[in-house]
Amino acid sequence: MRTYICLPGAWMGAWSWQFVLQRLGAAGHDARALPFRGVGERAAELSPAHDNDVFAADTIETLEQEDLRDVVLVGHSFGSLIASLVTDRIPERIGHLVIIDGGIAQNGQSIFGRIPAEIAAKRRTLVKVVNDTEVLPFAPAGSLIIDDPELAAWTHRQLTPHPVACYTKPIRLMNPAGNGRPMTYIACTSPRYPVSAGMHEKVQAMPHIRYRPIAAGHNCIISAPELVARELLEIP
């Protein structure tokens, strides 16, 4: 039995992982998802103090309090950044780091500094203030890259604003990406998401990362959970 700890993408909560968790649980594994403070199920806790370091610290606290070891730590999209920060801080508890259609974190670089400049500029114009906190509002249902309109609408109804500090604050890494732990990158290729498409080629040139393309859109954990679960179950 393996322990899978899954982290959600921006605007999402633990709920976004439920279809994948069902499949991992049915295969006999301990699989759970953690929401971030101020987002998803914890949206009522939104505060200007919340950023990537807070999210990483919360995740680390859970792993340490429950004494979880040899964890398969999985981050979808934005969640892959937090998974990378956690692996940087406590590699001794991580058995395998999985990034699903996210970026490869680099020390001193913010998310807005990594993604295409035109996309970052557009997102900056959308910033609003909620509960005295600058946030990025969630995108319309049609931009979720989920073909099933009912599933897209269901997903959209549960999205919550995301602290913009997570995108503007430079990332602090003390070790190379992955911190020496085994890594898998699951790339969503059908269609490719503009924010992460350029990362696919970069990852394929990194021999220490196991590259796994799947024929699904960016929000594959919702639209193609069977493909994601299969990849997670096949991790060495």
Side-chain angles (χ1 to χ4, degrees):
M1 184 183 76
R2 281 182 135 167
T3 299
Y4 292 86
I5 298 295
C6 303
L7 305 180
W11 308 292
M12 296 184 175
W15 58 265
S16 62
W17 277 100
Q18 61 184 282
F19 306 124
V20 174
L21 297 185
Q22 290 169 3
R23 289 164 169 80
L24 296 178
H29 300 285
D30 177 6
R32 62 188 89 172
L34 305 179
F36 297 128
R37 214 189 308 185
V39 189
E41 293 87 347
R42 302 183 66 179
E45 301 174 55
L46 183 66
S47 161
H50 296 163
D51 58 18
N52 299 323
D53 290 329
V54 170
F55 294 172
D58 285 348
T59 305
I60 290 170
E61 183 179 14
T62 296
L63 269 58
E64 291 182 336
Q65 284 187 344
E66 299 191 27
D67 195 24
L68 299 177
R69 299 179 181 275
D70 201 28
V71 168
V72 179
L73 185 60
V74 190
H76 168 236
S77 191
F78 166 79
S80 66
L81 167 60
I82 307 305
S84 296
L85 291 176
V86 171
T87 304
D88 184 68
R89 310 295 194 262
I90 53 167
E92 68 278 3
R93 293 186 180 271
I94 310 304
H96 203 107
L97 171 62
V98 183
I99 294 174
I100 299 181
D101 222 39
I104 303 298
Q106 296 185 35
N107 184 50
Q109 185 182 60
S110 68
I111 293 179
F112 276 167
R114 175 183 59 78
I115 67 176
E118 64 276 12
I119 296 177
K122 181 178 180 180
R123 290 191 174 182
R124 288 180 186 274
T125 67
L126 301 175
V127 173
K128 296 182 178 180
V129 176
V130 177
N131 292 349
D132 298 321
T133 305
E134 287 193 325
V135 300
L136 281 176
F138 45 87
S143 68
L144 292 175
I145 319 180
I146 297 176
D147 291 337
D148 183 332
E150 291 187 5
L151 186 60
W154 173 84
T155 301
H156 188 260
R157 286 195 297 270
Q158 299 181 81
L159 300 178
T160 57
H162 197 98
V164 74
C166 295
Y167 286 78
T168 59
K169 186 175 180 179
I171 296 158
R172 182 173 55 88
L173 289 176
M174 295 173 283
N175 303 282
N179 199 6
R181 306 310 300 147
M183 291 180 65
T184 291
Y185 188 101
I186 298 175
C188 298
T189 63
S190 183
R192 298 210 305 174
Y193 185 44
V195 173
S196 54
M199 184 58 63
H200 295 181
E201 284 72 25
K202 294 179 181 179
V203 171
Q204 291 181 73
M206 299 177 182
H208 66 292
I209 300 179
R210 178 172 170 267
Y211 180 78
R212 299 291 299 171
I214 62 172
H218 182 67
N219 285 308
C220 57
I221 63 173
I222 296 171
S223 64
E226 66 286 347
L227 295 182
V228 175
R230 184 185 67 194
E231 291 296 337
L232 295 179
L233 291 170
E234 291 180 354
I235 285 173

